[in-house]
Amino acid sequence: MDARCPAGTCVLVAAMIEVLGALAGGASSPVRAGRRVGGEPFVCVRGDGPYAFDATGRRYIDYVMGYGPLLFGHTPPFLRDLDALAARGVVFGSTSPDELALAERIRTHLPSMERLRFTTTGSEAVQGAVRVARAFTGRDLVLKFAGNYHGHFDLALQDAGASAETPDAHRSGIPRALLDDLIVARYNDLDDVDRHLARAGDRLAAILVEPICGNMGLVETVPGFLDGLQARARRHGALLIFDEIITWLRLGLGGAQTRVGVTPDLTTVGKVLGGGFPLAAFGGRADVMAMLAPDGPCFTGGTHAGMPFAVALGLRVLDTLENDPESLLATNRRAGALAGGIRRILGDLALGYAVLQLESIVDFKFRSGSPTRSYDDQRRDDQRAYAAFYHAMRERGVLLPPSHNEVMFLSTAHGEADIELTLHAIEDSLSELRSKGTI
Ligand SMILES: Cc1ncc(COP(=O)(O)O)c(C=O)c1O
């Protein structure tokens, strides 16, 4: 019997893997199928604080954290009294007072969102931002960056990061005609942007960018890049859209835009906002958002957009962050300790990989040299080594994302003991990889 499979539970695991067959590709979102790292996909039966549990009851320290939303772990205190929330109804089909209150509070923290609209997913939020930018400018062309990820609508997917490998539009079901209205430039490279824009004339509607990217590993922008994008957007009569679906709240209540000191025309937020429930929003300049129906001709909406249940959780998320800033700071310090520990281990093994940490996000790639600046850098990392590392860590009870493009997300629930155990697992795993000649 497999030592990790107590009596009877292997059958259960096998049955669950069998059931995956009913899901297209074995997952509702491709990365979860784990094809990038091979082996059996992780099937999560339940979560508790910083931990995920498989069908055998085995506990893993979880650094996937739902791909970002779980800033407070799997079971934060604000998930109390959900019955009371459900008892007042979960979807009204009309505007609710909580929705107005949440919009007001978001605007307090992100003043650039003078007007905003709620959506269910981040994909819809970015799609809405792009559409309203096109409606406002009366133009079609959008410039975005290889390796950024903005969701799963057509335009966003071309050459996207995260788990979307879609360099061939036609085979991916992306209309080829759409590519006439899309420029994909190199991240952190204003010369490349200028080369593309030289051919854009007066067709540019928007520049869409992750101001700090979390979808080709963690990538910060070089000084001047975002200001440069803003200047170019203005020069071309176009709008600048910051996709802050990962960064807002993860990097604090002011998001990336406060940190980098550049104010976009439009912003998208999501992930942490819903406290684990699906909730996102897009918003920005009042004159641009006035294009939205019913004030203007640009339609976005949805049955579940701004649903009261998720909005109530959004208010609880903001309460938590506003009332207890220390717990987030403590989390960021623990992330710093994790990053510092990884640097020490890599140093001991004479591995020259860059380790990055921003607030509660930690990342390193299997590639020596300077940190990733663009998707071209990221494509040079050793995916085979990452796959081996993923499995070595999983065997040691630590769950990492099953794709080298993703990052490690910590939560306020990750304690010092979890960080220590994780560092031991990293040390052991990398030593094993070294002894096998993988790295
Ligand atoms: C930066 C960014 N934008 C947009 C999205 C899409 O959000 P959703 O998965 O909620 O549609 C994601 C998802 O990972 C993201 O990381």
Side-chain angles (χ1 to χ4, degrees):
M1 188 173 75
D2 184 335
R4 285 171 298 131
C5 243
T9 52
C10 284
V11 179
L12 186 57
V13 174
M16 295 197 80
I17 304 253
E18 183 68 21
V19 169
L20 292 179
L23 286 174
S28 295
S29 202
V31 68
R32 300 176 198 168
R35 303 276 168 85
R36 288 282 183 84
V37 292
E40 284 174 7
F42 184 76
V43 179
C44 185
V45 172
R46 72 181 181 94
D48 183 10
Y51 309 119
F53 294 82
D54 68 15
T56 72
R58 187 168 184 211
R59 193 186 89 169
Y60 299 79
I61 305 172
D62 182 5
Y63 289 98
V64 182
M65 285 288 115
Y67 293 95
L70 304 181
L71 179 56
F72 309 97
H74 283 279
T75 43
F78 60 67
L79 290 185
R80 68 191 183 280
D81 303 333
L82 293 188
D83 288 357
L85 272 190
R88 62 171 206 188
V90 290
V91 61
F92 297 159
S94 24
T95 299
S96 74
D98 276 0
E99 206 179 344
L100 298 169
L102 184 60
E104 236 6 292
R105 280 173 73 182
I106 293 175
R107 184 163 70 166
T108 310
H109 294 297
L110 291 177
S112 70
M113 293 180 89
E114 293 170 354
R115 298 271 188 286
L116 63 91
R117 177 160 286 180
F118 289 110
T119 63
T120 312
T121 65
S123 299
E124 290 166 86
V126 185
Q127 189 175 34
V130 168
R131 183 173 303 142
V132 77
R134 283 173 159 166
F136 182 77
T137 56
R139 299 158 170 196
D140 294 338
L141 187 65
V142 173
L143 184 145
K144 70 177 198 86
F145 295 93
N148 284 200
Y149 180 75
H150 303 291
H152 62 86
F153 63 104
D154 286 346
L155 171 150
L157 269 184
Q158 180 62 23
D159 229 351
S163 60
E165 282 286 321
T166 47
D168 182 344
H170 185 58
R171 289 193 62 235
S172 308
I174 300 169
R176 258 182 284 210
L178 180 144
L179 301 184
D180 295 341
D181 295 322
L182 179 67
I183 292 171
V184 184
R186 188 178 299 118
Y187 199 59
N188 272 324
D189 187 343
L190 286 177
D191 290 340
D192 194 48
V193 170
D194 285 338
R195 255 192 307 280
H196 286 292
L197 287 184
R199 285 179 276 124
D202 59 1
R203 293 178 54 230
L204 189 68
I207 297 179
L208 170 63
V209 65
E210 281 186 72
I212 290 170
C213 183
N215 283 302
M216 46 178 166
L218 180 60
V219 186
E220 285 193 82
T221 44
V222 295
F225 179 65
L226 295 169
D227 307 76
L229 294 184
Q230 186 177 54
R232 282 155 181 80
R234 287 192 181 147
R235 198 182 310 143
H236 283 261
L239 302 181
L240 179 64
I241 307 173
F242 275 4
D243 182 348
E244 292 230 39
I245 293 206
I246 289 183
T247 50
W248 188 55
L249 299 181
R250 271 269 155 209
L251 301 189
L253 288 157
Q257 53 196 264
T258 306
R259 189 182 187 101
V260 299
V262 177
T263 305
D265 300 296
L266 292 166
T267 299
T268 60
V269 296
K271 297 236 189 217
V272 173
L273 172 63
F277 288 80
L279 182 67
F282 68 99
R285 279 170 40 189
D287 58 339
V288 177
M289 294 299 281
M291 294 304 293
L292 286 183
D295 291 339
C298 176
F299 185 88
T300 74
T303 306
H304 289 94
M307 68 180 289
F309 194 85
V311 164
L313 267 297
L315 287 170
R316 290 181 180 190
V317 165
L318 290 190
D319 287 345
T320 308
L321 285 167
E322 288 167 6
N323 298 337
D324 183 16
E326 177 49 34
S327 80
L328 198 58
L329 293 176
T331 305
N332 299 345
R333 282 195 295 275
R334 281 196 277 279
L338 178 61
I342 298 173
R343 283 189 196 104
R344 178 189 53 75
I345 294 165
L346 293 175
D348 290 349
L349 290 166
L351 291 166
Y353 309 156
V355 181
L356 294 139
Q357 179 241 334
L358 268 186
E359 318 296 49
S360 57
I361 310 174
V362 174
D363 183 42
F364 74 95
K365 297 295 166 225
F366 286 80
R367 178 176 59 78
S368 296
S370 46
T372 301
R373 287 282 168 253
S374 73
Y375 209 24
D376 293 337
D377 294 338
Q378 168 60 2
R379 285 181 174 121
R380 284 198 292 273
D381 84 333
D382 186 344
Q383 289 194 48
R384 203 177 52 97
Y386 183 76
F389 180 62
Y390 167 87
H391 286 292
M393 291 291 282
R394 197 164 133 182
E395 271 167 31
R396 291 165 174 83
V398 179
L399 190 63
L400 299 175
S403 161
H404 72 133
N405 271 354
E406 306 288 347
V407 295
M408 293 169 81
F409 287 112
L410 274 76
S411 75
T412 54
H414 286 80
E416 272 172 34
D418 300 311
I419 303 301
E420 254 175 60
L421 282 172
T422 304
L423 286 171
H424 281 305
I426 291 176
E427 195 156 21
D428 277 6
S429 299
L430 290 178
S431 301
E432 181 187 309
L433 264 56
R434 169 60 57 85
S435 68
K436 287 181 174 165
T438 311
I439 53 175

